[in-house]
Amino acid sequence: MQTTKGKLFLIPTTLGDTPPLEVLPISIKKTIEDVSIFIVENEKTARRFIKKISPKKSQPSLEIFLLNKFTQPIELPEFLEPCLKGKNVGLLSEAGCPGVADPGADVVKLAHEKDIQVVPLVGPSSILLAVMGSGLNGQSFTFNGYLTIDKNERKKEIKYLERLSFDKNQSQIFIETPYRNNKLLDDICATVSGDTNVCVACDITLPSEYIKTLPAKVWSKKKVDLHKRPTIFIIHKS
């Protein structure tokens, strides 16, 4: 008799140290209580998150697969073996939604190839929440990930994204390593037109949440400290 395949549940996590059930639906708690096999980026933080969601869940009984920058593509099929044997697996992001600006996308792709049902669960995405709070174009936007580190190349890239936003009436979204946020905002203000709208959205869903959209010429005179605060940047030139 053929075994019914298990499902791959995509389980969002909080975007910071917030009580999980303040920003996550009860479906997350139910799924975590039903699943004992997880694919995670960091075992320590994943176990801590699971314990917050389900304090009574047996930690020793958990089976953990690590998916991070050191994971080799040849290892991925092993992560989905339990699904092929009829067991459900949970894919946990380190922050936010799995598969979005997250290494989990490779596992999700493989699950489709193996005809394993993928179940995305509702949870916070800093990208979408930033777009929602920006007042910029929610009909057409692009997430560009990280910009290049080289200063001159980064300014060229910012200028290109500004031109793209004008030509396509499309909001351009990008991020930076948190300890370089202040420098990136300075570079944006020094590069784009003074009338170009810039949204800074940081610490989303946290008590210190800050979301503000202003013209670049206003940002250049404004004092805001984004150092080591997870931040989404959006630019739009009308």
Side-chain angles (χ1 to χ4, degrees):
M1 180 182 295
Q2 186 174 6
T3 302
T4 302
K5 292 178 182 176
K7 300 174 183 179
L8 177 65
F9 287 91
L10 310 187
I11 306 174
T13 60
T14 55
L15 297 173
D17 194 18
T18 305
L21 296 182
E22 284 189 9
V23 293
L24 296 171
I26 196 67
S27 58
I28 301 294
K29 178 178 174 63
K30 290 178 179 176
T31 301
I32 284 179
E33 288 178 344
D34 289 342
V35 172
S36 292
I37 305 169
F38 295 92
I39 302 168
V40 308
E41 200 169 341
N42 181 294
E43 182 171 358
K44 184 177 179 180
T45 55
R47 285 183 179 276
R48 187 185 307 134
F49 173 75
I50 291 169
K51 190 171 183 64
K52 279 185 179 180
I53 290 281
S54 181
K56 295 181 180 179
K57 192 172 184 68
S58 170
Q59 289 282 328
S61 68
L62 300 181
E63 186 176 353
I64 303 287
F65 294 100
L66 286 180
L67 176 64
N68 52 39
K69 63 183 179 180
F70 302 110
T71 306
Q72 299 300 312
I74 197 172
E75 298 177 64
L76 300 186
E78 180 187 356
F79 298 175
L80 296 175
E81 277 297 314
C83 289
L84 300 179
K85 296 175 181 177
K87 297 179 180 178
N88 294 330
V89 173
L91 174 60
L92 275 175
S93 178
E94 187 69 6
C97 296
V100 181
D102 175 89
D106 291 335
V107 172
V108 176
K109 180 175 182 289
L110 185 60
H112 286 295
E113 292 172 3
K114 292 180 175 292
D115 196 29
I116 294 167
Q117 184 179 350
V118 174
V119 184
L121 301 178
V122 175
S125 164
S126 59
I127 299 166
L128 288 179
L129 291 171
V131 173
M132 289 167 60
S134 71
L136 301 177
N137 194 346
Q139 297 289 338
S140 180
F141 54 88
T142 297
F143 176 62
N144 298 279
Y146 291 91
L147 302 189
T148 183
I149 296 176
D150 180 83
K151 183 175 182 178
N152 292 328
E153 290 301 316
R154 185 168 62 243
K155 287 188 173 183
K156 289 179 184 177
E157 198 169 355
I158 292 169
K159 200 67 183 173
Y160 168 74
L161 293 176
E162 181 190 32
R163 186 169 65 250
L164 200 61
S165 76
F166 179 76
D167 291 343
K168 294 190 172 186
N169 187 29
Q170 185 179 74
S171 297
Q172 300 296 323
I173 310 166
F174 45 91
I175 54 178
E176 178 56 286
T177 302
Y179 64 85
R180 289 201 292 259
N181 281 334
N182 288 333
K183 185 62 182 142
L184 178 56
L185 183 57
D186 289 343
D187 287 344
I188 293 170
C189 293
T191 304
V192 303
S193 168
D195 292 328
T196 293
N197 278 314
V198 179
C199 176
V200 172
C202 77
D203 291 345
I204 294 175
T205 72
L206 303 182
S208 56
E209 179 179 87
Y210 179 88
I211 303 175
K212 200 81 173 173
T213 298
L214 297 167
K217 61 187 175 186
V218 178
W219 277 117
S220 63
K221 299 175 183 177
K222 194 173 181 65
K223 298 295 182 183
V224 56
D225 187 10
L226 306 174
H227 187 58
K228 291 188 177 180
R229 300 170 71 185
T231 303
I232 300 282
F233 295 91
I234 311 176
I235 62 173
H236 195 117
K237 181 179 175 64
S238 301

